[in-house]
């Protein structure tokens, strides 16, 4: 098994910011490289918990340079609002159990209908799995809810700057990092065990084969 290279990461306040790499960027993200940061960022917020939606909106409204145009608890409602009044960025909860779409399907729909809008998703779920799924669905950034709201303005400005393919939060700082598939972090033995399970072997049979 080939060794897995360490993911490239860069803190946003690095003294030598990363240059945009337009060659390999998915088409849905290339628009960000051609945009200038607007003087006032228009934001849409979607979370199925009203308290969280209100809290995120109130926090951003209290920060200079941000205006929340849509504060929604329904995925369908946000799509309807955006069709009439587009935004620069949408903050979307990845897990919406009360809606018809799962997180991946909804992010893809947002990206298809609004190719010029930045998308940041957040959740309380597994960070690695969720951010990789969000990245593959077309999101520009991911932030776990445990980090609170203080890093949101930096992340929003970061994705709109167009200098980063994907932003995430690690160790309390916003970093530029392209997510890797969760299975890439497994050891050779773990991959072998999963392969045996997929082939229908019992635990006893797998143990015997690994001895």
């Amino acid at each position: 098994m080939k060794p897995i290279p360490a993911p490239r990461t860069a803190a946003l306040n690095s003294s030598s910011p990363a240059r945009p790499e337009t060659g390999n960027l998915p088409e849905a993200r290339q628009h960000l490289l051609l945009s200038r940061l607007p003087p006032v960022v228009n934001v849409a917020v979607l979370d199925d918990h009203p308290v969280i939606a209100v809290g995120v909106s109130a926090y951003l409204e209290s920060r200079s340079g941000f205006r929340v145009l849509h504060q929604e608890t329904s995925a369908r409602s946000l799509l309807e609002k955006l069709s009439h009044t587009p935004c620069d960025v949408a903050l979307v909860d990845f897990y919406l159990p009360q809606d018809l779409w799962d997180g991946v399907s909804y992010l893809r729909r947002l990206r298809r209908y609004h190719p010029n809008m930045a998308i940041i998703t957040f959740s309380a779920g597994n960070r690695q799995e969720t951010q990789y799924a969000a990245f593959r669905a077309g999101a520009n950034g991911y932030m776990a809810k445990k980090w609170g709201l203080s890093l949101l303005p930096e992340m929003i400005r970061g994705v709109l700057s167009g200098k980063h393919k994907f932003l995430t939060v690690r160790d309390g700082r916003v970093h530029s990092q392209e997510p890797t598939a969760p299975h890439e972090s497994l050891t050779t033995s773990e991959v072998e065990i999963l392969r045996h399970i997929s082939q229908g072997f019992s635990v006893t049979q797998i143990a015997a084969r690994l001895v």
Side-chain angles (χ1 to χ4, degrees):
M1 183 175 180
K2 294 181 179 180
I4 300 168
R8 293 179 297 175
T9 63
L12 295 197
N13 59 357
S14 170
S15 58
S16 56
R19 294 177 59 188
E21 300 177 0
T22 58
N24 298 322
L25 284 180
E27 183 179 354
R29 296 185 181 90
Q30 289 186 14
H31 75 280
L32 296 173
L33 303 180
L34 308 176
S35 305
R36 292 184 178 181
L37 191 66
V40 176
V41 178
N42 292 320
V43 184
V45 177
L46 171 64
D47 195 295
D48 60 339
H49 293 89
V51 173
I52 295 179
V54 170
V56 172
S57 300
Y59 177 80
L60 288 176
E61 286 280 5
S62 71
R63 313 298 294 182
S64 175
F66 295 95
R67 177 171 54 219
V68 177
L69 298 184
H70 309 303
Q71 173 193 303
E72 302 296 329
T73 58
S74 163
R76 185 178 297 279
S77 177
L78 179 59
L79 280 176
E80 294 175 356
K81 296 289 184 62
L82 287 173
S83 67
H84 298 292
T85 309
C87 289
D88 301 305
V89 59
L91 309 177
V92 179
D93 186 3
F94 189 81
Y95 295 103
L96 300 167
Q98 304 302 319
D99 278 288
L100 296 175
W101 304 292
D102 59 24
V104 169
S105 297
Y106 188 68
L107 291 177
R108 286 175 176 166
R109 187 175 293 262
L110 274 180
R111 176 55 68 217
R112 184 167 66 251
Y113 291 162
H114 303 281
N116 296 320
M117 180 178 68
I119 302 172
I120 296 173
T121 189
F122 49 92
S123 80
N126 182 287
R127 181 186 67 84
Q128 186 178 16
E129 292 180 0
T130 305
Q131 73 175 5
Y132 180 73
F135 171 73
R136 294 285 295 173
N140 305 98
Y142 168 82
M143 189 171 76
K145 288 183 177 180
K146 70 176 183 178
W147 295 115
L149 299 174
S150 61
L151 296 175
L152 259 183
E154 180 184 359
M155 178 169 280
I156 292 173
R157 294 189 180 99
V159 298
L160 290 177
S161 74
K163 296 180 180 179
H164 312 282
K165 191 171 183 179
F166 190 84
L167 295 182
T168 187
V169 177
R170 182 167 50 84
D171 300 326
R173 299 176 65 188
V174 178
H175 287 264
S176 175
Q177 177 179 342
E178 181 178 340
T180 56
H183 66 78
E184 292 183 2
S185 63
L186 297 177
T187 65
T188 303
S189 297
E190 290 170 336
V191 171
E192 189 69 9
I193 290 172
L194 290 177
R195 187 176 68 83
H196 288 318
I197 292 174
S198 68
Q199 293 175 344
F201 290 104
S202 67
V203 174
T204 303
Q205 291 172 319
I206 293 174
R209 287 171 174 266
L210 294 177
V211 172

